[in-house]
Amino acid sequence: MRKPIIAANWKMNLTSSETESYLKTFLLEIGDEIDTEIVIIPPFTALFKASEHLSASASTKLGAQNMSQHRSGAFTGEISAAMLRELFVRYVVLGHSERRQLFGETDEIINQKLHAAHDATLKPIFCVGETLAERDAGQVEAVLSRQLHAGLAGMGEKEIHEIVVAYEPVWAIGTGRNATPAQAQEAHAFIRKQLAEIAGQNVADRVRIQYGGSVKTSNAAELLAQPDIDGALVGGASLDPRDFAEIVKSARAAKAG
Ligand code: PEP
């Protein structure tokens, strides 16, 4: 019912020319994949080159790592939703923990960005997740609930239906330590319950929830076999095109049963 979605968040890695050789290899490896939606999320400077290579691909779409909540104006160094749309960007990552922690993005700013993305017909990959201290203090559900309610404030069923939620426990990002499939499933089921409270069961049943945090070729299949895990947001392991293609293939196998 929910098409799996596997995304590659390259973070601040790969230049425009490196993007070209990555995509040539990746698209060959992946072949005619149609059961899984794939999103490549390079740095802004590689979006144009990536869009040239992905324009003919049915399965692989383009995403951006961030965008401004503002439409235009005196915001030096920022990139607007409209600028992304013109480069055929379809998805945008919002609320990534690195943006929250290193760049001071609050729930309120993320909510503004979610609205701005929707207005520009960009689909958000909306990241939520607790820190290790919050998990140890038994606050996982409280944190997820706060991030979801604040982030989605003022959004209707139609807008929320378009969103992909990424559950990314902060302690699992870039650490090599992934959540166990049971821990991830528990958090995903809770997120879906919250979405039902916010936007109704029908929408909650349709929203795709990705897991992110040290996903790699060796653990992707068991994570994706969980019923409420509809995809993965992959950082470090997505930098090798062959590894990322293998993760996509294992997602397909896990979801096919
Ligand atoms: C991420 O940056 O979204 C991420 C999940 O990173 P990693 O896979 O490297 O943990």
Side-chain angles (χ1 to χ4, degrees):
M1 173 168 82
R2 296 183 293 264
K3 188 172 188 170
I5 177 164
I6 312 290
N9 174 17
W10 293 355
K11 313 192 190 201
M12 199 173 72
N13 294 291
L14 305 191
T15 65
S16 193
S17 57
E18 287 165 343
T19 295
E20 183 161 31
S21 61
Y22 178 110
L23 288 178
K24 279 183 184 159
T25 306
F26 178 73
L27 291 172
L28 270 180
E29 290 281 329
I30 214 67
D32 290 332
E33 172 64 55
I34 48 163
D35 298 334
T36 306
E37 195 172 356
I38 304 162
V39 188
I40 299 288
I41 311 176
F44 292 132
T45 48
L47 285 171
F48 181 70
K49 183 58 76 187
S51 75
E52 287 178 341
H53 284 270
L54 297 180
S55 60
S57 171
S59 62
T60 308
K61 299 184 179 128
L62 193 55
Q65 296 178 17
N66 182 31
M67 56 164 242
S68 171
Q69 66 271 43
H70 303 290
R71 276 173 187 268
S72 63
F75 301 103
T76 301
E78 290 290 279
I79 301 284
S80 75
M83 293 168 186
L84 298 176
R85 281 302 282 152
E86 212 174 282
L87 293 176
F88 304 103
V89 170
R90 305 281 287 278
Y91 286 91
V92 60
V93 176
L94 297 175
H96 192 282
S97 61
E98 286 154 16
R99 301 291 321 169
R100 291 179 192 260
Q101 295 194 323
L102 304 175
F103 300 96
E105 289 195 11
T106 60
D107 288 328
E108 193 189 3
I109 292 172
I110 295 158
N111 174 251
Q112 291 167 4
K113 291 187 177 197
L114 282 159
H115 281 278
H118 175 74
D119 291 347
T121 68
L122 282 172
K123 295 183 183 194
I125 295 178
F126 169 36
C127 302
V128 294
E130 80 287 354
T131 62
L132 189 56
E134 289 164 340
R135 175 163 281 265
D136 288 346
Q139 293 170 349
V140 176
E141 294 193 349
V143 170
L144 294 178
S145 175
R146 190 204 76 227
Q147 291 175 338
L148 288 163
H149 280 85
L152 299 174
M155 303 196 96
E157 290 176 21
K158 201 170 148 281
E159 285 108 310
I160 294 174
H161 173 244
E162 294 285 309
I163 290 173
V164 174
V165 176
Y167 170 60
E168 296 212 309
V170 180
W171 48 272
I173 297 182
T175 58
R177 178 184 164 195
N178 61 285
T180 64
Q183 283 172 325
Q185 167 58 28
E186 193 182 0
H188 281 231
F190 177 76
I191 290 169
R192 206 175 297 288
K193 216 169 95 198
Q194 293 296 297
L195 291 171
E197 264 178 44
I198 297 168
Q201 192 63 49
N202 193 27
V203 172
D205 285 340
R206 289 160 77 169
V207 169
R208 292 174 296 176
I209 307 175
Q210 296 177 309
Y211 168 77
S214 298
V215 173
K216 40 192 179 267
T217 53
S218 57
N219 62 17
E222 55 172 4
L223 285 159
L224 281 147
Q226 300 299 313
D228 284 296
I229 301 185
D230 308 311
L233 181 53
V234 188
S238 74
L239 292 174
D240 180 308
R242 291 187 180 84
D243 282 355
F244 185 56
E246 207 182 307
I247 289 171
V248 172
K249 288 175 193 165
S250 61
R252 176 175 40 187
K255 287 303 176 195

